[in-house]
């Protein structure tokens, strides 16, 4: 189900622009990524490039390798083979400072992963204070600024259980921004939310894109892909099947597999009339997240 981004009033963003990466080519570039879990090949030769300020939206069926791709880019999963470059530097080489890389690549997950015993402001500032040794006053000032950007300044003193799912996810986004990342990865961040809460999270992501943040977004929210994405990649069975402008991939797909996926998710006009239960029940291959 699509959730129109205009359904919720936009929030003001107090901080324009994002960190400028020192790179002439793509901020993120992958070469021939391969990743298996046991006998299950999850990524099968993934080549992609994301330019500074671009929003790359990754769509595809469950098990197509979308989430694994993001986890590999953030060095949460080791590769079997292939290389990943970030701001011109190969980050998959031996000796890479993984912690330093992750400070420049923010990631937000489907689950909020907030510390339940900490107040919202402390969830935002704990990493900056412990890893960057940022003074508490400076960290809290920065944290309050970020909470303002996601429309949650008044929630600074509350605990996660006092917030809705959408509010918790907005806190998670603010927490990721606390380390001033150059790239943001979003892994199906709205899939666990009630439908009426999705819009408020998509608006925060949209505003980040407008400010120039480079983003890789795994999502089933096709309206977001259409309105915010610069490019869309469709993945299946660990491979990139089709890629291009959102209007081309979503409205005029060239590959049969892409067309079948979009019909099953009811993204093509009048597709419900054409579907039958036997076609929908066809098993889609692949097993990686």
């Amino acid at each position: 189900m699509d959730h129109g981004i205009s359904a919720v009033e936009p929030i003001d963003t107090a901080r324009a622009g994002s960190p400028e990466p020192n790179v002439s080519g793509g901020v993120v570039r992958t070469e021939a990524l391969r990743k298996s879990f046991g006998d299950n090949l999850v990524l099968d030769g993934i080549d992609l490039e994301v330019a500074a300020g671009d929003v790359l939206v990754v769509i595809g069926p469950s098990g197509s390798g979308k989430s694994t791709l993001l986890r590999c880019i953030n060095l949460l999963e080791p590769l079997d083979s292939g290389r990943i470059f970030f701001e011109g530097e190969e980050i998959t080489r031996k000796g890479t400072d993984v912690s330093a890389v992750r400070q420049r690549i923010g990631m937000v997950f489907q689950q909020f992963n907030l510390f339940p015993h900490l107040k919202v402001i402390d969830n935002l500032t704990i990493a900056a204070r412990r890893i960057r040794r940022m003074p508490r006053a400076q960290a809290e000032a920065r944290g309050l600024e970020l909470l303002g950007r996601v429309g949650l300044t008044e929630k600074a003193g509350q605990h996660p259980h006092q917030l809705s799912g959408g509010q918790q996810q907005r806190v998670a986004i603010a927490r990721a921004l606390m380390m001033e990342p150059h790239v943001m990865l979003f892994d199906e961040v709205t899939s666990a939310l009630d439908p009426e809460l999705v819009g408020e999270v998509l608006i925060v992501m949209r505003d980040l894109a407008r400010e120039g943040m480079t983003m890789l977004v795994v999502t089933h929210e096709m309206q977001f892909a259409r309105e915010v994405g610069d490019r869309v990649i469709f993945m299946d069975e660990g491979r990139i099947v089709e890629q291009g402008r959102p209007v081309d991939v979503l409205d005029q797909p060239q590959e049969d597999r892409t067309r079948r996926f979009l019909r099953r998710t009811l993204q093509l006009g009048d597709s419900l009339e054409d579907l039958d239960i036997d076609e929908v029940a066809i098993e889609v291959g692949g097993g990686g997240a």
Side-chain angles (χ1 to χ4, degrees), residues 196-208:
E196 62 184 3
L197 301 178
V198 169
E200 64 191 62
V201 175
L202 295 182
I203 283 174
V204 171
M205 295 167 63
R206 179 204 63 191
D207 288 346
L208 282 175

Side-chain angles (χ1 to χ4, degrees), residues 82-138:
R83 300 192 296 173
I84 301 172
F85 294 84
F86 176 58
E87 298 186 329
E89 172 190 3
E90 184 187 351
I91 60 175
T92 43
R93 75 183 193 283
K94 292 183 178 179
T96 294
D97 187 340
V98 174
S99 177
V101 170
R102 288 182 183 154
Q103 290 184 48
R104 293 183 290 157
I105 303 178
M107 187 163 181
V108 184
F109 302 86
Q110 176 179 337
Q111 301 300 324
F112 321 126
N113 297 323
L114 301 177
F115 295 112
H117 62 290
L118 295 181
K119 295 179 180 179
V120 165
I121 190 64
D122 294 324
N123 266 282
L124 260 66
T125 61
I126 187 171
R129 290 189 285 114
R130 292 189 176 181
I131 297 175
R132 288 191 168 183
R133 304 297 182 186
M134 186 180 293
R136 177 181 288 272
Q138 180 183 349

Side-chain angles (χ1 to χ4, degrees), residues 241-253:
V241 176
E242 187 164 351
Q243 60 181 305
R245 298 183 308 161
V247 65
D248 295 327
V249 175
L250 300 178
D251 295 337
Q252 298 178 330

Side-chain angles (χ1 to χ4, degrees), residues 28-34 45-48 69 72-73 75 79-86 88-94:
V28 176
R29 178 164 58 90
T30 72
E31 294 182 354
L33 301 190
R34 289 178 64 88
I46 299 295
D47 297 299
L48 62 80
L69 173 61
C72 287
I73 290 173
L75 304 181
L79 295 171
D80 297 337
S81 62
R83 300 192 296 173
I84 301 172
F85 294 84
F86 176 58
E89 172 190 3
E90 184 187 351
I91 60 175
T92 43
R93 75 183 193 283
K94 292 183 178 179

Side-chain angles (χ1 to χ4, degrees), residues 183-198:
V183 173
M184 286 288 290
L185 312 179
F186 295 91
D187 186 13
E188 298 193 28
V189 296
T190 60
S191 60
L193 300 179
D194 291 337
E196 62 184 3
L197 301 178
V198 169

